[in-house]
Amino acid sequence: MPSLNNTELLSTLSSTTPIVLTIAGSDSGGGAGIQADIKAISATGGYACSVLTALTAQNTQGVTAIYPISGEFVEQQLDAVFSDLNVIAVKIGMLSDSDVIHSVAKKIKQYKPQYLVVDPVMVATSGDLLLQSSAIESLKSELLPLADVITPNLPEAAALIGSKVPQNEDEMVAMINELRLLGAKSVLLKGGHLEDDSNSTDLFICADAVERLSMARIETRNTHGTGCTLSSAIASYLAQAHELQAAVTLGKHYITQAIIHADELNIGQGHGPVNHFFALNTKG
């Protein structure tokens, strides 16, 4: 059997390694943002690479400062990654302004990754605003129509379509048609904010169907980074050749387990992170 030279070997490896790019902001506390993305992608079997869009001074209690990164440097990072790595799936998280949104959309159109997951990050678990309101229209017009799936929570979905925040599942259902009009191939509407519900129910909205994904609600305050983690897990499963519906379902199961095991960690004095590596740390 003939041996492969270095170039052929690298080509073979790059074609089989599920490489996932996360484009997001940094969380200095390590529980959300690009740090959570890298953990989730790694824990679910992908290889994570990253492009930073903003730096935050942040911990489990809140965000005290945001330092934006220029669109020009975001583009330079994207060129560096895409020109060398065989990126299969991209997850997009925090984009702080219209300049960065435009730069990311431009490069996504140029490099055309196979899968795109957009988590329209606008508000942190602590309630801090992470996306300038003036940039929401840019997000809607330039990025969301490119996505295979977007993953808004209820406040984010309400901001995207200009409605009130749903207070029950019936009001979530009432958002379906307007969410479809955003142009993404599918929407995972996350119902975690319905805290009075004994279950955490998400609606996976496709062009011609809606699937209800429901798990028992876990009582914990350690939910920092749940949205980042879920969207990154979905991107990781897509990169591993799972169909979109299966990737969403697997992502839902993964984040549920990460929340179930969150209280095994003792991190910070506020909303602690989920346990990304629960499978490694589970005894027995």
Side-chain angles (χ1 to χ4, degrees):
M1 184 177 187
S3 60
L4 297 174
N5 61 38
N6 285 342
T7 301
E8 291 170 331
L9 180 58
L10 287 173
S11 177
T12 301
L13 289 172
S14 68
S15 67
T16 57
T17 303
I19 299 176
V20 183
L21 168 62
T22 166
I23 305 171
S26 172
D27 172 8
S28 51
I34 218 153
Q35 287 85 348
D37 296 345
I38 291 171
K39 293 173 187 177
I41 293 164
S42 301
T44 54
Y47 174 86
C49 52
S50 61
V51 165
L52 280 170
T53 59
L55 306 177
T56 68
Q58 183 177 171
N59 55 29
T60 63
Q61 296 177 299
V63 180
T64 55
I66 299 176
Y67 186 85
I69 292 174
S70 71
E72 180 183 7
F73 186 61
V74 169
E75 289 189 31
Q76 290 173 339
Q77 293 178 77
L78 288 164
D79 286 334
V81 172
F82 278 111
S83 64
D84 182 42
L85 306 185
N86 179 30
V87 174
I88 301 172
V90 173
K91 172 266 170 79
I92 297 176
M94 176 187 175
L95 303 173
S96 59
D97 57 43
S98 295
D99 180 44
V100 170
I101 291 170
H102 176 72
S103 294
V104 170
K106 171 184 170 183
K107 290 301 177 180
I108 292 295
K109 291 174 183 176
Q110 176 182 341
Y111 291 109
K112 297 179 173 63
Q114 188 172 353
Y115 300 107
L116 179 63
V117 178
V118 178
D119 182 20
V121 177
M122 299 177 189
V123 183
T125 303
S126 58
D128 296 285
L129 185 66
L130 297 177
L131 178 67
Q132 296 174 6
S133 53
S134 61
I136 294 177
E137 290 305 315
S138 296
L139 181 70
K140 289 168 62 176
S141 63
E142 296 192 53
L143 264 181
L144 299 191
L146 304 177
D148 292 281
V149 59
I150 63 174
T151 62
N153 60 29
L154 299 185
E156 290 161 350
L160 286 172
I161 64 174
S163 74
K164 67 175 185 177
V165 178
Q167 300 300 309
N168 54 57
E169 193 173 330
D170 287 341
E171 293 181 2
M172 288 176 64
V173 171
M175 303 176 86
I176 289 173
N177 288 337
E178 287 187 83
L179 289 171
R180 283 180 171 141
L181 293 176
L182 293 172
K185 290 181 183 176
S186 65
V187 179
L188 180 64
L189 179 60
K190 301 176 297 189
H193 280 74
L194 300 182
E195 295 181 356
D196 292 336
D197 194 333
S198 60
N199 291 324
S200 177
T201 300
D202 304 337
L203 300 180
F204 180 49
I205 305 163
C206 298
D208 55 1
V210 177
E211 181 179 359
R212 187 173 179 273
L213 304 174
S214 190
M215 296 282 186
R217 184 174 298 275
I218 298 102
E219 294 301 324
T220 177
R221 69 195 305 248
N222 295 328
T223 56
H224 186 47
T226 50
C228 306
T229 298
L230 173 58
S231 54
S232 295
I234 292 170
S236 179
Y237 289 125
L238 285 171
Q240 295 170 67
H242 291 281
E243 297 291 336
L244 179 58
Q245 184 172 352
V248 169
T249 301
L250 287 167
K252 174 75 169 177
H253 282 280
Y254 170 75
I255 188 59
T256 300
Q257 288 299 312
I259 297 171
I260 287 172
H261 292 279
D263 287 352
E264 296 170 8
L265 302 177
N266 183 16
I267 309 295
Q269 301 171 62
H271 292 281
V274 301
N275 191 343
H276 296 89
F277 297 105
F278 62 85
L280 294 178
N281 299 327
T282 301
K283 298 178 180 178

